[in-house]
Amino acid sequence: MKHNFGAGPGILPHEVLKQAAAAVVDFNGIGLSILEISHRSPEFEAVLDEAVKLVKELFSVPEGYSVLFLQGGASTQFAMVPYNLLPEGGKAAYLESGVWANKAIKEVKYFGEAQVVATAKEANFTYIPKDFEIPADAAYFHITSNNTIYGTQLHKFFPSPVPVVCDMSSDIFSRKVNVADFGLIYAGAQKNMGPAGVTLVIVKDEILGKSGRKIPSMFNYQTQIEGGSMYNTPPVFAIYVSMLTLNWLKSKGGVEAIEKENEAKAKVLYDEIDRNPLFKGVCVPEDRSIMNVCFVTENPELEKPFLKLCDEKGIVGIKGHRSAGGFRASIYNALPITSVYVLIDAMREFAENNK
Amino acid sequence: MKHNFGAGPGILPHEVLKQAAAAVVDFNGIGLSILEISHRSPEFEAVLDEAVKLVKELFSVPEGYSVLFLQGGASTQFAMVPYNLLPEGGKAAYLESGVWANKAIKEVKYFGEAQVVATAKEANFTYIPKDFEIPADAAYFHITSNNTIYGTQLHKFFPSPVPVVCDMSSDIFSRKVNVADFGLIYAGAQKNMGPAGVTLVIVKDEILGKSGRKIPSMFNYQTQIEGGSMYNTPPVFAIYVSMLTLNWLKSKGGVEAIEKENEAKAKVLYDEIDRNPLFKGVCVPEDRSIMNVCFVTENPELEKPFLKLCDEKGIVGIKGHRSAGGFRASIYNALPITSVYVLIDAMREFAENNK
């Protein structure tokens, strides 16, 4: 039994994996694998419809928004967002709260100007900047709701005079959000929603079609909306597993229920970090993420021995990102609190042995 | 037992499906699913390396070419090709041999001009135009090697004064090709190579970087080459299943061996179509595809009864594309000749019963 704290592609519910494996051999008893059926078959159309329905239900998506399942990951969205929303010669506002925000900003230059309203770069992205103004003449305001690498999270969103575009890759469906506050939400599936290979986009229809750009079909949200995420062959299996995962989330009581669990998991872990003399948190407490818990040892020589202990206890994926160092425990929706307790026990045992 | 003649996502080898299903529960005995491991883990890096190696080996890819596994399907390549290869104000030559070629041509307008050197549109794409000149001032010459919808195939490629770009989505790895004759080859995996959700690109490095365009990272072949197909999180599972399928192909004797099998399968089926008084082929014999065999009934009222008979015999996916009508038997690499014989028997039985 492994305890999967990996940052992504991350842990998926055991029952989802079992269902997915069965469907790879024989999908719903039709005598064919989910991997070898037409995306235009009634069987797959039902999967896609159900996935869209579950997103709308779990996130209370209001009227006037479209739900898309695309390919290419959040990194493709870094370009598609300005391609669709930024007029020639226009500017967009970006909050540089982490490494992924920084990457998103870099892609804007191909389309226009990115105005960085605030950055936490000087502090190694260990806090969320909150004191800034959003220019009213920006085409949109882009934020990253959770910073996977350094472990900060926006616990409140900012009122904005322009449409808010949010990269929710690493905390989508981990907590309630008010979709109506956003113009566009996107998320690579591979943390809380499904396997790598599919990207969720929730877009307010009325913000589209205003940039005046001619956009190639595949990069154009409008084409994808008109094609119902099937302008071309979609990533069938990744959508299927996402549907199963969303269904699992619904059976757990939905986003409100999982939010309570996620908060409880984060609290016990941060409490241990703050209590344990060998470890300390990386980020300012008020901006700590409930998804990616980053911490370090006071004594860097203890890093390897602690990773070794974790390994012995079946704790995997705990090593910090190569650009951040230390440790990172990603405690996504599917990670049970029992795994968090195993980690806490390991931290205590380690402190006991290294007094 | 089903006989899967679907046009794509199409049939995959049974042993590949069994291995893939096992890996969804526990990948190589590591106690984690292939769906929940990091793409930067040594386990997945080995998968990707192996997949690239198999492509190079099976297709005898010469030095100076890069092999990429991308997302977005061939439809994304329709835009990425001109984005990367066509200078501002430049033109590219296209052979309009089918519906997919036509779609590729439509995407060029976002980047420059597509000069259609020849078209078979007036004959409903039932033949391959062969009498044309490729302009020496084109940035590249684009062809589609196999036309899935109407069932024609290029049995010879054209000598070209400019780099040849080829969409091989529906016949990749079905026959030997000389990669050195091409500047760029692309193929959605979901016919002969794997499941939907990954696209193979084989590109000659020296044709890149000449368009003078600034290209967003994800749409830039150079970025993808530098990232080793991992500029961002790749579609892990789709690449894994492609690796398994390529490995299966190698164990079958590689492309040369499968080409003989494919020719044998196509021959017996076309022979039956030509012999059977109730059916006739759609395309001119010399351009008939060995992957997608399109045929019709002389009497359209017999369509439904024949589909019903097929259904009773476990023959699935035989209905023609909605824009072509009639029947289409896709006989991809993984389809055993025994399934073709089942179809032939059904055709004979049907003719017998409808004398």
Side-chain angles (χ1 to χ4, degrees), chain A residues 65-264:
Chain A
Y65 283 77
S66 294
V67 172
L68 299 171
F69 289 92
L70 305 180
Q71 293 188 62
S75 295
T76 295
Q77 295 306 308
F78 296 167
M80 269 180 75
V81 163
Y83 215 152
N84 282 264
L85 302 181
L86 187 58
E88 294 277 354
K91 75 171 179 190
Y94 278 72
L95 177 64
E96 193 178 21
S97 58
V99 172
W100 295 105
N102 175 269
K103 289 192 189 226
I105 289 163
K106 283 183 178 158
E107 297 303 311
V108 182
K109 68 166 179 276
Y110 300 103
F111 305 96
E113 188 200 335
Q115 179 178 335
V116 177
V117 296
T119 180
K121 205 173 183 178
E122 82 293 347
N124 225 5
F125 300 123
T126 50
Y127 74 101
I128 302 284
K130 294 176 197 78
D131 191 23
F132 55 82
E133 270 190 39
I134 303 163
D137 60 342
Y140 58 87
F141 173 49
H142 182 282
I143 52 175
T144 316
S145 57
N146 184 74
N147 303 295
T148 329
I149 294 180
Y150 292 96
T152 60
Q153 189 174 25
L154 269 70
H155 295 298
K156 270 188 186 163
F157 293 101
F158 309 97
S160 168
V162 298
V164 177
V165 174
C166 186
D167 177 359
M168 289 193 191
S169 292
S170 52
D171 67 353
I172 189 119
F173 299 123
S174 71
R175 56 171 173 172
K176 274 187 74 174
V177 300
N178 184 18
V179 173
D181 292 342
F182 299 88
L184 192 150
I185 292 167
Y186 63 88
Q190 65 269 16
K191 280 101 159 64
N192 262 335
M193 200 184 82
V198 65
T199 311
L200 175 68
V201 172
I202 305 172
V203 58
K204 192 172 190 172
D205 300 326
E206 67 171 40
I207 73 169
L208 298 175
K210 294 180 175 172
S211 75
R213 287 183 200 270
K214 301 278 182 209
I215 310 162
S217 306
M218 281 298 289
F219 309 149
N220 189 336
Y221 293 121
Q222 198 60 50
T223 322
Q224 301 287 3
I225 291 170
E226 283 159 18
S229 298
M230 294 225 279
Y231 173 75
N232 74 334
T233 311
V236 169
F237 184 71
I239 293 174
Y240 172 65
V241 180
S242 298
M243 184 277 281
L244 293 178
T245 308
L246 293 169
N247 215 14
W248 166 86
L249 179 55
K250 183 179 166 182
S251 74
K252 295 263 294 180
V255 172
E256 265 182 79
I258 209 82
E259 182 171 11
K260 287 204 186 85
E261 274 192 41
N262 288 331
E263 281 171 352

Side-chain angles (χ1 to χ4, degrees), chain A residues 1-4 8-14 16-18 20-22 24-25 30-40 70-76 79-80 83 100 103 107 110-111 190-191 194-199 214-220 231-237 241 316 322, chain B residues 1-4 8-14 16-18 20-22 24-25 30-40 70-76 79-80 83 100 103 107 110-111 190-191 194-199 214-220 231-237 241 316 322:
Chain A
M1 166 82 190
K2 300 284 186 186
H3 305 283
N4 187 357
I11 186 168
L12 289 173
H14 188 67
V16 165
L17 295 174
K18 272 172 61 183
V24 167
V25 174
I30 63 172
L32 294 170
S33 165
I34 181 81
L35 305 184
E36 52 175 6
I37 61 168
S38 169
H39 57 292
R40 306 257 173 223
L70 305 180
Q71 293 188 62
S75 295
T76 295
M80 269 180 75
Y83 215 152
W100 295 105
K103 289 192 189 226
E107 297 303 311
Y110 300 103
F111 305 96
Q190 65 269 16
K191 280 101 159 64
V198 65
T199 311
K214 301 278 182 209
I215 310 162
S217 306
M218 281 298 289
F219 309 149
N220 189 336
Y231 173 75
N232 74 334
T233 311
V236 169
F237 184 71
V241 180
V316 299
R322 59 196 187 283
Chain B
M1 165 83 189
K2 299 285 184 185
H3 305 282
N4 187 358
I11 186 168
L12 289 172
H14 188 66
V16 165
L17 296 173
K18 271 173 60 184
V24 168
V25 173
I30 62 170
L32 294 170
S33 165
I34 182 80
L35 304 184
E36 52 174 7
I37 61 168
S38 170
H39 57 293
R40 307 257 174 222
L70 305 180
Q71 293 188 60
S75 295
T76 295
M80 267 180 76
Y83 215 152
W100 294 105
K103 289 191 189 226
E107 297 303 313
Y110 300 103
F111 305 96
Q190 66 270 14
K191 280 99 159 64
V198 65
T199 312
K214 300 277 181 210
I215 310 163
S217 307
M218 282 296 290
F219 309 149
N220 190 336
Y231 173 75
N232 74 334
T233 311
V236 169
F237 184 71
V241 180
V316 299
R322 59 196 188 285

Side-chain angles (χ1 to χ4, degrees), chain B residues 93-106:
Chain B
Y94 278 72
L95 178 63
E96 193 177 22
S97 59
V99 173
W100 294 105
N102 176 270
K103 289 191 189 226
I105 290 163
K106 282 183 179 158

